[in-house]
Amino acid sequence: MARTPTHPDVSQFDLQTVLEALVDPVRRSIVAQLDAAGADIACGGFDIPVSKSTATHHFTVLREAGLIRQYYVGTSRMNALRRAEMDETFPGLLDALTARRAARRGG
Amino acid sequence: MARTPTHPDVSQFDLQTVLEALVDPVRRSIVAQLDAAGADIACGGFDIPVSKSTATHHFTVLREAGLIRQYYVGTSRMNALRRAEMDETFPGLLDALTARRAARRGG
DNA sequence: ATCGAAGTTTGACAGCGATCGAACTTCTGC
DNA sequence: GCAGAAGTTCGATCGCTGTCAAACTTCGAT
């Protein structure tokens, strides 16, 4: 595993790529969990119904789309939601997809 | 072809289905063209790089997701964007995906 | 009735993407 | 050093989806 995985710059964000990342329910769940937690989460800390190798695949897709930033802490790989950068490029998109909006309207 | 094709009710709108519909560039283009035109458009009136049978498939997907409403006028099948209903269920989603926001910010 | 225009239906195909298990790497703790 | 924990990589399925051509249906105009 590379010490410093590839992260796209904000200028390289692409709507098609981001959509293809977010259309998968597992990946959308990952983003939603990060958003709800408001904190970084290790790969193993998510509640997702797939094997480790599949999880690795999903995190890679999210990272390459620019949705998350990954960094190592010991043997754990932490995941951070790049929300501000996403909001800057695609305003309203994450709000519309993470069901935050519903919770916010409610209270 | 059925006289009255199946259209889901707003209460049946499903985010996963809508996303799967909008992740395809051709379908997103159809929605964008409808949105930009602000008027209904016949199937043959779109600028899309696919055959007629493929186009039929895309319109079906969009209709079953609730994104468009279809009705016949003679031999032409008209397509209407169900924007208000979509906005009601998924506020901000179409704005984020049809690049309207960019145009609106500009002027 | 006939012909053309506009879509639909059907069947087939190709490619992609999600999924898994197994083997491997790397770090932590003892 | 050794064992275990946390991920990654590799290879192989497998189902789904976008695509098209060909044949068909329906409507409008002549």
Side-chain angles (χ1 to χ4, degrees):
Chain A
M1 36 185 166
R3 204 105 222 77
T4 308
T6 304
H7 290 94
D9 188 75
V10 178
S11 68
Q12 303 173 25
F13 285 2
D14 173 61
L15 178 59
Q16 185 62 36
T17 305
V18 170
L19 270 184
E20 284 169 4
L22 289 175
V23 77
D24 185 281
V26 174
R27 289 194 289 264
R28 213 160 59 251
S29 170
I30 290 172
V31 169
Q33 289 178 48
L34 275 174
D35 191 49
D40 302 356
I41 303 179
C43 288
F46 290 89
D47 182 21
I48 47 177
V50 294
S51 69
K52 290 206 298 179
S53 53
T54 301
T56 294
H57 167 63
H58 286 313
F59 287 117
T60 302
V61 171
L62 287 172
R63 172 168 48 77
E64 292 183 342
L67 281 156
I68 62 173
R69 194 176 295 277
Q70 296 191 294
Y71 59 97
Y72 277 98
V73 173
T75 168
S76 288
R77 190 165 215 173
M78 300 299 298
N79 301 278
L81 185 59
R82 300 177 67 179
R83 189 178 241 287
E85 294 163 288
M86 270 295 145
D87 285 349
E88 179 186 324
T89 311
F90 308 115
L93 184 58
L94 281 188
D95 266 341
L97 295 185
T98 54
R100 243 176 117 183
R101 108 199 98 68
R104 215 188 277 144
R105 262 192 315 201
Chain B
M1 39 183 164
R3 204 102 224 76
T4 308
T6 304
H7 289 93
D9 188 75
V10 178
S11 66
Q12 303 171 23
F13 285 2
D14 172 61
L15 177 59
Q16 184 61 36
T17 306
V18 171
L19 270 184
E20 283 169 4
L22 291 174
V23 77
D24 186 279
V26 173
R27 290 195 288 265
R28 213 159 60 250
S29 170
I30 290 173
V31 169
Q33 288 179 49
L34 276 173
D35 191 49
D40 301 357
I41 304 178
C43 287
F46 290 88
D47 181 22
I48 47 177
V50 294
S51 69
K52 288 207 298 179
S53 52
T54 300
T56 296
H57 166 63
H58 285 313
F59 287 118
T60 303
V61 172
L62 286 172
R63 171 167 48 75
E64 293 183 341
L67 281 156
I68 63 173
R69 193 177 296 278
Q70 296 190 293
Y71 59 97
Y72 277 97
V73 174
T75 168
S76 288
R77 191 165 215 175
M78 299 299 295
N79 302 278
L81 185 60
R82 300 177 68 178
R83 192 180 238 285
E85 293 162 289
M86 270 295 143
D87 286 349
E88 178 186 326
T89 310
F90 307 114
L93 185 58
L94 281 188
D95 265 341
L97 295 184
T98 53
R100 242 176 117 185
R101 112 198 95 69
R104 215 187 277 146
R105 262 194 314 203

